[in-house]
Amino acid sequence: MAFRAAVERWRTDVLEIDVHITADGEVVVSHDADLDRCTDGKGPIAGRTWAEVARCDAGWSFSTDGGASHPYRGTGVSIPRLAEVLDALPGARFNVDCKARGPGPEARLAAVVREAGAEARVCVGSEHPEDAARLVRELPDACHFFPGRALVGAILHLRGQIEEAPSGPWTVLDMPLYFGDDRLVDAAMLARAAALGLWVNVWTIDDRAEMERLVAEGVGGIMTDRPDLLRDVLDRRG
């Protein structure tokens, strides 16, 4: 429901998603590793079968008024499998963060992507270097984002703080805008990234002024919980 609205209503270019693996090997789309916060289920996704996860009400906890009402509770909202999302939105691109630790999960994720023929429309990765490297081996034709330590090194180089340039199969930086009070991104940093053929996505920006500044500076992508606000910023810029 939310993914379709983002694409069809707000014309979102790329959907940023996290995936986990159920106990019986299904790749599911969920930010949380556990069912407790957002559904009426309990426990880790990795410890539940797909049938158990599918029965959970993913609209259970959502509220816009502090819990006084739950507009999606009991309406059939569920945690989807990655295969279902790729099939439902064949024109959409995805930034897929594999939260399940390996070895093993990356092969399941790669199999789903290959079966959907989606290698050209996904950027995949993990913050953990070993898992990210396995994903590169499993999906060599896909885009890959920098894992944790390599990301730090790339940011330091692009900010002129170390000489060593980023290397390896990574082409996308998924990064925060701030480290403490230090704003990590500016026009010069983005220009250096572009010169190296690197793409920069910044998360999680829900403030209009920051969106406008980032777009003006030339950021590649903005990860946000407010696609409506970002669409308005982009449309006003033409």
Side-chain angles (χ1 to χ4, degrees):
M1 178 186 296
F3 297 145
R4 190 177 297 279
V7 171
E8 296 179 355
R9 185 174 183 182
W10 308 119
R11 308 195 306 282
T12 300
D13 295 316
V14 182
L15 295 167
E16 193 278 329
I17 60 175
D18 298 337
V19 297
H20 298 269
I21 314 294
T22 65
D24 52 350
E26 291 288 345
V27 184
V28 300
V29 180
S30 173
H31 175 274
D32 292 3
D34 298 318
L35 298 166
D36 304 59
R37 183 175 68 95
C38 296
T39 81
D40 59 345
K42 299 293 182 183
I45 290 173
R48 299 287 183 266
T49 65
W50 163 240
E52 291 172 318
V53 171
R55 285 196 294 269
C56 294
D57 185 347
W60 184 262
S61 300
F62 182 82
S63 178
T64 58
D65 52 18
S69 65
H70 299 84
Y72 296 113
R73 184 177 288 184
T75 63
V77 180
S78 60
I79 294 176
R81 288 177 290 187
L82 175 61
E84 296 167 335
V85 175
L86 293 173
D87 181 65
L89 300 169
R93 292 178 291 170
F94 294 85
N95 190 101
V96 185
D97 189 346
C98 185
K99 295 296 189 181
R101 298 300 312 276
E106 68 282 345
R108 293 293 308 133
L109 170 57
V112 172
V113 171
R114 285 195 298 267
E115 186 172 346
E119 295 98 322
R121 60 187 181 102
V122 299
C123 185
V124 298
S126 167
E127 69 170 305
H128 304 286
E130 300 85 358
D131 296 336
R134 282 190 287 266
L135 279 167
V136 170
R137 291 194 292 271
E138 290 285 347
L139 286 170
D141 295 329
C143 163
H144 294 268
F145 61 79
F146 282 80
R149 289 197 296 270
L151 174 63
V152 172
I155 292 171
L156 291 174
H157 174 77
L158 294 173
R159 286 167 53 83
Q161 294 174 262
I162 63 172
E163 292 187 8
E164 185 179 357
S167 61
W170 336 108
T171 57
V172 173
L173 289 80
D174 290 341
M175 59 178 290
L177 180 56
Y178 286 92
F179 181 74
D181 294 329
D182 188 12
R183 193 176 193 272
L184 300 177
V185 176
D186 58 26
M189 180 268 199
L190 292 169
R192 285 193 289 270
L196 292 175
L198 303 176
W199 184 274
V200 177
N201 295 321
V202 178
W203 50 263
T204 300
I205 310 301
D206 296 332
D207 177 75
R208 176 185 288 273
E210 285 286 18
M211 290 178 180
E212 291 174 342
R213 181 177 174 183
L214 283 165
V215 172
E217 289 171 336
V219 75
I222 294 174
M223 298 182 186
T224 180
D225 296 326
R226 292 291 309 276
D228 56 330
L229 186 60
L230 180 55
R231 172 46 56 196
D232 185 62
V233 168
L234 295 173
D235 285 350
R236 287 177 183 272
R237 290 183 60 88

